[in-house]
Amino acid sequence: MSFYRNAVWFVKGLQEYTKSGYEAAAKQFNTGDLDVNLSGRSFVITGANSGIGKATAHEIAKRGGIVHLVCRNKERAQEAKEELVEHTKNQNVHVHIVDMSSARQVWEFAESFSKSNSIHVLINNAGCMVNQKELTEEGVEKNFATNTLGTFILTTALIPALKQAQDPRVITVSSGGMLVQKMKVDDLQSEKGTFDGTMAYAQNKRQQVILTERWASQHKEIHFSSMHPGWADTPAVQLSMPDFHAKMKNKLRTESMGADTVVWLAVSAVASNQPSGLFFQDRMAVPTHLPLALTRSSPADEEKLQAILEQLAHKNPNQPSRLAL
């Protein structure tokens, strides 16, 4: 079954996830969807100093939004801020230094941010693909800590603030790679068998999609969505998947192409009129499972995922007493 999933997914990817796939899809885009004035709206973007996150920040800043760059590296974040301000002439660009793999840092940021800032849109873009097994200082597998647990804590911690805003939205940048994975709820941190960073990442991306669906059902006041940016030529892809990048570099999307649907989901009126909880690719809701791939989880397993994450989040001594679940 895994061979079938991978073969179907790769053929699909060559047709849809590449630069030519984007160009074909873009013929159906309504360019007016992004003709918006974002003055007064506040956007929190994780992993925003490069790649898709930076491209997203640029498009939002260009339209007058208040942009909060949540980044791990202070120097690169400051460089990104200066570049954004220079290119967009928008002075409302702010830097916050947070390691998304650290539950303590994510809690502290969410708490302090909520006290002094408003938030209309959260864009969960930060991610990592560590190919050698590595644990954080808190003893959590690095990919899972960043991609899943960090995203879970930040989102749930900011839900009360989001509910105070007009037209609040949460967009999570997932990956089409999750289509080849069925969630392994009894091995969320990839502890069984030989560690494979690519598969761990794909598992995390499946977990993100499931969380998006659950949040949408639990918090009706907020519009949730997840999305696949396609195969984009970003620093993260170059670093984490060098062989794939070398073979596919002439077919890969630009960072702006990868960011297009993130921006569309974050700012357009038509996106917020879509049902909450869906998975998007090139401005269209698409299935979260390949045909006959047997990747669906039971409702009980999806509930268990959220329960485990809540338990892990509560292990941190600096968190608030109650998550927004």
Side-chain angles (χ1 to χ4, degrees):
M1 179 54 69
S2 61
F3 175 79
Y4 163 79
R5 289 178 196 159
N6 290 334
V8 170
W9 176 79
F10 190 70
V11 171
K12 180 180 177 68
L14 289 173
Q15 294 174 336
E16 300 178 15
Y17 302 164
T18 54
K19 183 188 294 183
S20 61
Y22 174 84
E23 291 168 344
K27 293 176 182 177
Q28 307 301 318
F29 291 175
N30 180 352
T31 54
D33 286 355
L34 301 185
D35 291 341
V36 293
N37 182 346
L38 301 176
S39 178
R41 286 184 66 77
S42 174
F43 297 77
V44 173
I45 310 170
T46 65
N49 63 277
S50 67
I52 289 168
K54 184 179 175 184
T56 299
H58 180 272
E59 293 300 316
I60 290 170
K62 188 168 73 173
R63 291 167 173 79
I66 303 165
V67 178
H68 295 276
L69 311 176
V70 178
C71 307
R72 182 169 52 90
N73 185 290
K74 185 175 182 178
E75 184 177 319
R76 290 203 296 259
Q78 194 61 38
E79 288 175 2
K81 173 188 172 176
E82 291 171 3
E83 184 181 326
L84 288 168
V85 171
E86 180 183 354
H87 289 175
T88 67
K89 311 306 179 189
N90 184 343
Q91 299 294 324
N92 271 319
V93 180
H94 310 278
V95 168
H96 308 270
I97 304 305
V98 184
D99 182 347
M100 288 298 296
S101 72
S102 166
R104 178 185 57 79
Q105 288 190 35
V106 176
W107 277 120
E108 290 175 352
F109 164 70
E111 187 173 16
S112 64
F113 184 88
S114 297
K115 288 178 180 177
S116 53
N117 300 275
S118 62
I119 175 173
H120 295 86
V121 181
L122 169 63
I123 299 173
N124 291 311
N125 168 73
C128 75
M129 185 190 296
V130 177
N131 289 309
Q132 300 295 322
K133 186 160 186 178
E134 182 182 336
L135 300 182
T136 68
E137 290 182 0
E138 296 160 336
V140 181
E141 192 275 314
K142 189 70 171 282
N143 295 299
F144 176 79
T146 305
N147 302 326
T148 304
L149 184 58
T151 295
F152 175 82
I153 293 173
L154 183 60
T155 303
T156 51
L158 289 178
I159 279 174
L162 282 159
K163 286 183 177 180
Q164 301 302 312
Q166 183 179 6
D167 187 19
R169 310 184 192 191
V170 175
I171 299 100
T172 298
V173 180
S174 181
S175 168
M178 66 95 191
L179 290 169
V180 303
Q181 293 291 312
K182 178 179 181 179
M183 181 181 64
K184 300 175 181 176
V185 75
D186 294 321
D187 190 26
L188 293 177
Q189 296 191 53
S190 306
E191 296 170 292
K192 300 177 181 178
T194 303
F195 182 80
D196 183 325
T198 303
M199 290 301 102
Y201 177 84
Q203 276 283 317
N204 299 160
K205 294 299 167 177
R206 169 63 73 187
Q207 293 155 11
Q208 290 179 341
V209 169
I210 291 171
L211 286 171
T212 296
E213 294 169 346
R214 291 188 63 80
W215 285 328
S217 69
Q218 293 163 352
H219 305 286
K220 306 290 189 183
E221 308 95 319
I222 302 171
H223 189 276
F224 292 89
S225 54
S226 58
M227 61 78 67
H228 173 40
W231 294 342
D233 191 352
T234 66
V237 170
Q238 295 169 30
L239 179 66
S240 300
M241 305 175 69
D243 293 342
F244 174 81
H245 181 265
K247 292 174 184 175
M248 297 293 295
K249 62 182 177 182
N250 294 327
K251 298 180 185 297
L252 297 179
R253 299 180 175 200
T254 66
E255 293 170 346
S256 294
M257 290 176 178
D260 176 80
T261 296
V262 185
V263 177
W264 181 80
L265 287 166
V267 310
S268 73
V270 67
S272 65
N273 289 330
Q274 298 276 333
S276 185
L278 298 181
F279 178 67
F280 289 83
Q281 173 189 311
D282 292 334
R283 302 193 191 184
M284 288 186 61
V286 294
T288 55
H289 300 276
L290 295 171
L292 308 175
L294 304 179
T295 49
R296 296 183 187 277
S297 297
S298 68
D301 280 352
E302 294 180 355
E303 185 175 345
K304 185 176 180 180
L305 166 67
Q306 197 165 1
I308 291 171
L309 288 169
E310 183 177 5
Q311 184 178 33
L312 287 170
H314 274 88
K315 281 187 175 182
N316 181 56
N318 293 313
Q319 68 184 12
S321 60
R322 179 64 184 158
L323 282 168
L325 295 175

